Amino acid sequence: MFTSVLMIEKALTSADVEFVTTLHGEEEVSFQVLLQPRGEQADRLLRAIDDVALGELDEAVREGETPEGEEALSVGQRALEVSLAALRGSGSPAEGRLIEDHPLDALKSLVEEVGADEVIVLTDPHYVEEFFHRDWASRARHKAGVPVLKLFSHSKA
């Protein structure tokens, strides 16, 4: 069985689940999901710039409403549970954990722990971080020791 570590920042949509579960055709894939809530990942200014770059001005204005701290963890836990249920519902074995700090350290440890074959980073676009190669996928390529695939979420969760 092929093992993928899936790094996400919000609940997977049905389109996201279909996308990641069909990447390898008929090969059976199990998922190890790492979720770090968006409120913990980047500061509000970078997120607002990303929203403006995407033409989502309403989202940029609402960045101040993004949950932070304990509230983000609660939202993150629910997003993780929804994502795991969706992956399992599609027939793929899935386990996961919420991460608060140092997502790339957690990624490297998990890749080694489960003998992962690849890492899939599935997030909304983060243009500022991507431009400076500070996004998860760019940094994971130097740490993971396995191929890293970067995908964009299909829609808002």
Side-chain angles (χ1 to χ4, degrees):
M1 180 177 295
F2 199 82
T3 302
S4 293
V5 173
L6 181 59
M7 290 188 70
I8 59 176
E9 62 188 0
K10 64 181 184 178
L12 296 173
T13 65
S14 57
D16 293 332
V17 170
E18 182 179 354
F19 193 42
V20 298
T21 58
T22 59
L23 280 173
H24 298 287
E26 297 298 315
E27 187 167 2
E28 201 171 327
V29 180
S30 70
F31 292 93
Q32 294 288 326
V33 181
L34 291 176
L35 184 140
Q36 183 181 32
R38 184 176 181 187
E40 296 294 315
Q41 174 193 326
D43 74 11
R44 289 181 180 151
L45 177 60
L46 289 178
R47 293 192 316 257
I49 291 169
D50 286 338
D51 291 335
V52 169
L54 289 168
E56 297 174 353
L57 300 179
D58 291 341
E59 288 294 319
V61 171
R62 286 195 294 269
E63 281 303 335
E65 300 169 10
T66 300
E68 304 269 342
E70 288 297 318
E71 187 181 353
L73 293 177
S74 174
V75 170
Q77 186 61 45
R78 285 192 304 273
L80 178 62
E81 291 166 3
V82 165
S83 298
L84 293 174
L87 288 167
R88 291 174 186 145
S90 74
S92 296
E95 299 297 325
R97 53 183 87 156
L98 195 63
I99 50 176
E100 298 178 42
D101 298 311
H102 311 292
L104 296 173
D105 292 339
L107 170 70
K108 182 178 181 188
S109 296
L110 183 60
V111 165
E112 292 170 356
E113 176 186 322
V114 300
D117 298 296
E118 71 178 355
V119 170
I120 300 171
V121 177
L122 181 68
T123 64
D124 288 333
H126 298 293
Y127 293 118
V128 174
E129 292 173 338
E130 290 165 22
F131 180 78
F132 292 106
H133 303 286
R134 300 300 303 155
D135 59 298
W136 283 347
S138 296
R139 293 186 297 158
R141 287 185 179 105
H142 300 287
K143 275 198 153 201
V146 296
V148 176
L149 179 60
K150 178 182 182 145
L151 303 174
F152 292 125
S153 299
H154 279 76
S155 60
K156 299 279 182 192

